[in-house]
Amino acid sequence: MPDVFINSLENRFGRHAIPGLVTILAWFQVAVWILNTIRPGFVATLTLEPGLVLKGEVWRLLTWAFLPITDSPIWLIFAVWLMMMFSAGLDHAWGPFKVNLYIFGGIISMIVGAMFFSSPPLGLTLYTSIFLAFAAIAPNFELLLFFILPVKMKWLAALTGAGLLLNFINTPQMRLPILFSLLNFFIAFGPGFVRWLKLRGTVVERRARYDAAKAPEGTWIHRCHACGKTDLDDPTLDFRVGADGEDYCNVCREKKKP
């Protein structure tokens, strides 16, 4: 994110930010799951259908984000627990305003994809962008997979990214939904990743120059003009340049004293 512009927006509109927005979205999923259980087919009234939006059902522009990512109550509870954890972590790292900007930016991106490019928005991919954001700011955070196996977020994110990439390559109809759903992630983290790559390249280049300039192994730097010992013979020797411009070790300097 361009920090100066984002900070100026936060100074003007930060008081309107919604704390815990990701948690709120998660609980809306629970509410929709309950309503759909009571009234099967309820979720059909919430999906984003461009044709129906143009006929006046404008609520669909937002309600698709409340669709549960699973039909299983157990997995739904697990998903809500994860989203609450992600919400707390993102709010702590970014502050509510930047989290709101990230979430609503993702929602708007997916709405644009649906309305103008026939790219159906998927709640699952929206929440994937939230997961990836959390993994980017807390890569070494450990999650107990199946409540047993500790796995760092960066490895889970890598597996998720690999799955999305394979899906993008092998399933043409999923390319636009994936692109639009992750556009907020690319905007938020892309510039920092590019800077990291440039910095890494600079470090590697400097290291290569340093290694090339180093003396070969076994080469001495200081050699005593009197006794012939070098810093390789005895690393504890202290060498100084004498009046004649030659190196002398501390032992020989002591001997030369009157």
Side-chain angles (χ1 to χ4, degrees):
M1 294 182 181
D3 292 336
V4 175
F5 177 65
I6 298 300
N7 290 337
S8 66
L9 288 178
E10 186 171 9
N11 290 334
R12 294 185 61 184
F13 306 109
R15 64 182 181 277
H16 302 300
I18 305 171
L21 178 60
V22 178
T23 296
I24 293 172
L25 290 176
W27 283 110
F28 266 113
Q29 285 193 51
V30 174
V32 170
W33 184 89
I34 293 173
L35 289 173
N36 193 63
T37 302
I38 297 172
R39 182 186 170 188
F42 174 71
V43 294
T45 65
L46 307 180
T47 57
L48 179 49
E49 304 289 343
L52 296 177
V53 171
L54 295 176
K55 290 180 180 179
E57 298 184 13
V58 293
W59 65 83
R60 293 177 179 269
L61 291 172
L62 183 60
T63 53
W64 62 267
F66 305 150
L67 298 177
I69 61 177
T70 178
D71 294 328
S72 167
I74 296 176
W75 284 111
L76 182 61
I77 293 172
F78 179 68
V80 169
W81 172 73
L82 283 179
M83 299 311 292
M84 291 175 66
M85 181 179 65
F86 296 161
S87 180
L90 290 171
D91 275 9
H92 178 74
W94 280 349
F97 179 78
K98 291 181 180 177
V99 175
N100 282 209
L101 201 61
Y102 183 81
I103 300 302
F104 287 124
I107 290 174
I108 291 172
S109 173
M110 296 180 73
I111 290 173
V112 170
M115 297 299 295
F116 298 101
F117 298 94
S118 301
S119 170
L122 302 173
L124 179 60
T125 50
L126 172 66
Y127 291 104
T128 298
S129 74
I130 296 172
F131 159 73
L132 291 175
F134 181 82
I137 65 173
N140 293 317
F141 182 87
E142 287 190 344
L143 186 68
L144 290 178
L145 197 62
F146 303 113
F147 301 100
I148 298 174
L149 182 64
V151 182
K152 290 185 177 181
M153 294 297 297
K154 60 184 177 182
W155 305 126
L156 292 175
L159 289 174
T160 301
L164 288 170
L165 181 61
L166 288 175
N167 205 4
F168 184 88
I169 295 172
N170 297 326
T171 313
Q173 62 269 27
M174 286 299 297
R175 290 174 182 171
L176 284 178
I178 291 174
L179 179 62
F180 280 107
S181 64
L182 296 181
L183 190 59
N184 57 341
F185 178 80
F186 294 140
I187 292 174
F189 295 98
F193 182 69
V194 171
R195 287 194 298 269
W196 177 81
L197 286 177
K198 289 182 178 179
L199 178 61
R200 184 177 177 84
T202 302
V203 171
V204 171
E205 181 184 355
R206 288 178 178 174
R207 181 67 184 180
R209 290 204 304 264
Y210 173 76
D211 289 340
K214 283 197 307 183
E217 188 175 351
T219 303
W220 51 264
I221 298 176
H222 301 286
R223 182 176 184 274
C224 181
H225 186 66
C227 67
K229 288 186 177 180
T230 68
D231 50 349
L232 292 179
D233 297 324
D234 186 352
T236 64
L237 291 176
D238 178 31
F239 292 88
R240 300 292 173 86
V241 178
D244 58 357
E246 300 291 348
D247 279 347
Y248 292 92
C249 68
N250 56 304
V251 175
C252 293
R253 290 201 309 272
E254 288 293 329
K255 292 179 180 178
K256 290 178 63 176
K257 286 183 179 179

